Amino acid sequence: MTFNILDIECQDKETLKAAFTHPSYTKENNLSILGNYERLEFLGDAVLKLSVSTLLYSKYPDYKEGDLSKIRSILVSDSILSELARKINLEDKMILGAGEEHTGGRQRESNIACTMEAVLGAYYLDGKIDVVEKFLQSELMPYADEVDRHFEKYNAKAVLQEYTQKISNEVPLYETINVSGPSHKPEFEVQVSYDGRIITSAKGFSKKEAQQNCAYRACVILGIVEGEDGNG
C-alpha cells in the first residue's frame, strides 16, 4: 500500500506507515508501540497548531488573541480534522487491529483525526513542513471564514449548556435514538432534551457530530442563536 497523501513522497516510509497504524494493531500483533501513531500524533498536534496559528495570524491581522484562539480551537478539532481527512480518503489507508476494525474504528472520528495529526508529524520529520503548510492553507483555511461567521454553530453544545445552566442549572441530555446505514459507515441520530422535554433531534456520521448538529438545531429553536437563514 502507498501511504503518501500530500502529493509528495515521504522519504521515511516506515515512519509514515507508523502514522497510519492504530495502537490496536501493534497491541494485537505484539509489536513495539513505536510502530503506531501515538508519538507522531503528539508531534503532529503541535505542528498543526503552530501552522494554523501562523496562517490565522496572517489572515486576520486585526483580530485579538482570544478571537484567533476561538477560531483555531474549531479548525484543529476532531470534527473538522476528520472531515478534512475523509476528503483525501485517509481512512482507507488506516491499519487497524481486527477488534477495532470490527467495531467500526475505520469511521471513528477520533481515530481519523489522530491519524491525520500523525501524518502531519511524519511529513514534518521528513523535512516537508512547507508541504504541510501548503496543504493546510489550501484545504483547512477555507473553513476559517465559515467558523468565524458562525462560531456558535461549531460550538453549539457549549452554547446550549451555558444557556440551560443559566436558567435552571440543568444540563442538556443527549440520547442516541437510532443507528442506520452500513456497519462501516453508520449514521447516528441523536435527540436532546432539557427540563424533561425533548427539544429536537439530528443526525451525523459520529455520535459527536450528531450531538453537535442536534445542539445547534436546539439553539436555533430556543432562539439562542440565529439560523443560517437569519431566522431564530
Side-chain angles (χ1 to χ4, degrees):
M1 181 184 293
T2 301
F3 293 100
N4 299 325
I5 65 166
L6 302 187
D7 295 326
I8 192 168
E9 185 177 1
C10 183
Q11 299 300 317
D12 190 344
K13 293 178 174 55
E14 286 303 309
T15 296
L16 188 59
K17 180 180 178 181
F20 284 92
T21 304
H22 190 270
S24 63
Y25 183 86
T26 51
K27 183 176 181 179
E28 286 185 13
N29 292 278
N30 295 314
L31 301 174
S32 169
I33 61 172
L34 299 180
N36 67 47
Y37 67 46
E38 290 180 318
R39 282 170 53 85
L40 287 165
E41 178 207 348
F42 166 77
L43 177 61
D45 176 68
V47 171
L48 174 66
K49 287 178 179 175
L50 177 58
S51 296
V52 171
S53 297
T54 302
L55 292 169
L56 289 174
Y57 188 86
S58 298
K59 182 176 178 64
Y60 301 111
D62 299 325
Y63 277 29
K64 296 179 181 179
E65 178 271 339
D67 296 324
L68 296 173
S69 293
K70 284 169 59 177
I71 299 173
R72 185 184 64 185
S73 70
I74 301 300
L75 291 181
V76 303
S77 68
D78 283 1
S79 177
I80 296 293
L81 207 57
S82 60
E83 184 176 331
L84 179 66
R86 286 189 176 101
K87 288 184 177 181
I88 55 177
N89 300 314
L90 178 143
E91 73 275 17
D92 293 341
K93 300 177 183 292
M94 289 163 50
I95 303 172
L96 306 175
E100 186 69 18
E101 184 79 68
H102 181 70
T103 57
R106 192 168 298 278
Q107 295 301 322
R108 192 163 291 131
E109 188 176 85
S110 58
N111 287 349
I112 299 173
C114 286
T115 303
M116 184 76 249
E117 289 179 335
V119 168
L120 297 180
Y123 273 97
Y124 171 79
L125 288 177
D126 205 53
K128 305 296 192 312
I129 185 61
D130 56 329
V131 176
V132 169
E133 292 183 347
K134 183 178 179 181
F135 171 74
L136 295 174
Q137 173 71 67
S138 64
E139 302 299 329
L140 184 62
M141 290 306 291
Y143 287 91
D145 285 336
E146 167 70 10
V147 171
D148 187 31
R149 286 193 300 268
H150 304 290
F151 182 76
E152 294 87 354
K153 175 182 177 181
Y154 294 92
N155 198 40
K157 287 184 69 176
V159 171
L160 180 61
Q161 182 167 319
E162 182 179 351
Y163 171 82
T164 60
Q165 286 187 311
K166 187 178 294 184
I167 293 177
S168 64
N169 205 34
E170 292 187 17
V171 298
L173 299 177
Y174 299 89
E175 180 184 359
T176 302
I177 58 175
N178 187 43
V179 180
S180 59
S183 59
H184 68 278
K185 194 175 183 179
E187 185 175 38
F188 299 87
E189 184 174 9
V190 168
Q191 70 179 21
V192 61
S193 59
Y194 162 66
D195 198 24
R197 72 183 181 95
I198 297 172
I199 303 174
T200 189
S201 64
K203 296 180 179 181
F205 288 108
S206 70
K207 289 182 181 179
K208 189 173 181 180
E209 180 184 6
Q211 289 178 0
Q212 191 71 11
N213 292 340
C214 193
Y216 177 66
R217 184 174 291 179
C219 285
V220 174
I221 291 172
L222 294 172
I224 306 169
V225 303
E226 290 187 346
E228 291 187 351
D229 60 357
N231 297 320

